[in-house]
Amino acid sequence: MLRIDILTLFPEAFSGYLAHSIIGRALERRIVDIRLHNIRSFTHDRHHTVDDYCYGGGAGMIMKPDPLFEAVESLRGEIGEGNYPVILLTPQGKLFTQEMAGTYAAFNNLIMICGHYEGVDERVVEHLVTDEISIGDYLLSGGEPAAMVVTDCLIRLLPGAIGSDISLVEESHVDALLEYPQYTRPPEFRGWKVPDILLSGNHKEISDWRRKQSILRTARRRPDLLKKAKLTDTEMNLVKSTDLNNN
Ligand code: ADE
């Protein structure tokens, strides 16, 4: 079972999110164990100080190293030493991808540290953390939403978390392509029809149509991803011969 220990200043921020849907079920079925720890409980002064001014001046507060070291060391004492990642969620980290999610989902233990304020003391980065992860090129006010994103993404990869493993294969980002358009009933809604081919029952044609839609959608929206996708010569020609600015 994967155990994720999350160090945060706001453990309450996670409770609503973790209780529902796939994550809630995975917790109930003991596919994953998520433990939240308040960084403040690893302070020893009267005010439970977790941050301090930045050496050299500058606006904003920096997270102190001592509570974070103590928290991780106390977890290590409980879990044991080992090669598991100690992840800091930070806008300065490596951009999180589906591929990284696959790598992390294979561990038995992960520790995540949610950064806050203007950042964390660099000694935490250098001597405590093994991986720094960013979920995108934008600034959040804290690492908590990022830890939830990463946790969500990992859990749905764990065996048994999702009803059918088949649904994991044909998904956006799994093979560097975005997913094809999907429809459910009714077949016509406000005059907008589901493409005939999807109602045809011809599995080969449906599968070809979906593949084509995936490729064209990726070419239009995320040409950066298309470079990583494995396309046949025919598929490459399709991309070249299609006006990608049109719909
Ligand atoms: N903390 C603040 N912004 C972040 C981001 N984009 N990713 C991860 N952690 C963050």
Side-chain angles (χ1 to χ4, degrees):
M1 179 173 55
L2 172 62
R3 167 171 164 177
I4 306 177
D5 286 277
I6 301 177
L7 305 183
T8 167
L9 292 169
F10 305 104
E12 326 77 53
F14 289 82
S15 53
Y17 191 70
L18 296 179
H20 298 291
S21 188
I22 289 172
I23 300 187
R25 242 179 304 135
L27 285 166
E28 257 169 43
R29 290 185 195 157
R30 301 188 186 285
I31 290 168
V32 67
D33 181 11
I34 299 176
R35 305 203 186 184
L36 297 162
H37 309 276
N38 195 330
I39 296 165
R40 264 181 222 287
S41 53
F42 297 92
T43 55
H44 301 288
D45 62 312
R46 210 153 54 90
H47 300 291
H48 300 289
T49 314
V50 290
D51 59 332
D52 208 333
Y53 295 100
C54 185
Y55 271 122
M61 304 294 275
I62 304 299
M63 281 172 82
K64 287 163 63 61
D66 21 337
L68 290 172
F69 271 84
E70 191 176 317
V72 171
E73 281 159 7
S74 113
L75 282 173
R76 284 225 174 96
E78 195 188 321
I79 305 166
E81 299 292 329
N83 277 334
Y84 48 84
V86 178
I87 299 167
L88 175 67
L89 284 314
T90 161
Q92 305 191 41
K94 192 170 161 191
L95 209 52
F96 185 62
T97 62
Q98 190 66 42
E99 198 183 342
M100 282 157 76
T103 308
Y104 288 128
F107 281 93
N108 288 327
N109 286 97
L110 295 172
I111 297 178
M112 295 191 198
I113 303 174
C114 303
H116 246 273
Y117 309 114
E118 286 306 300
V120 303
D121 186 287
E122 191 65 17
R123 288 163 291 190
V124 170
V125 175
E126 282 185 5
H127 304 294
L128 189 64
V129 158
T130 61
D131 304 31
E132 291 174 86
I133 293 181
S134 164
I135 59 160
D137 292 337
Y138 40 77
L139 209 48
L140 303 166
S141 55
E144 283 76 12
M148 285 185 234
V149 165
V150 173
T151 300
D152 183 308
C153 195
L154 300 191
I155 290 178
R156 51 196 304 295
L157 294 179
L158 298 175
I162 289 187
S164 146
D165 290 343
I166 295 173
S167 55
L168 288 174
V169 181
E170 288 195 13
E171 284 184 319
S172 294
H173 297 295
V174 168
D175 57 3
L177 289 176
L178 301 183
E179 203 167 16
Y180 44 79
Q182 300 183 99
Y183 299 85
T184 182
R185 284 189 287 188
E188 182 170 341
F189 172 69
R190 298 192 176 175
W192 300 305
K193 287 190 172 144
V194 173
D196 284 340
I197 196 155
L198 296 177
L199 310 178
S200 70
N202 185 329
H203 297 301
K204 169 81 174 87
E205 279 186 24
I206 291 173
S207 148
D208 289 349
W209 180 87
R210 286 179 164 168
R211 172 88 185 161
K212 185 174 160 187
Q213 296 296 320
S214 267
I215 292 168
L216 292 180
R217 176 170 273 196
T218 311
R220 288 188 180 108
R221 299 182 186 181
R222 294 292 305 277
D224 56 312
L225 287 181
L226 202 65
K227 289 186 205 119
K228 290 188 243 160
K230 293 189 188 79
L231 300 191
T232 64
D233 290 347
T234 318
E235 289 169 344
M236 299 272 219
N237 288 334
L238 167 73
V239 172
K240 280 188 204 136
S241 64
T242 307
D243 177 5
L244 298 174
N245 294 318
N246 230 337
N247 72 75

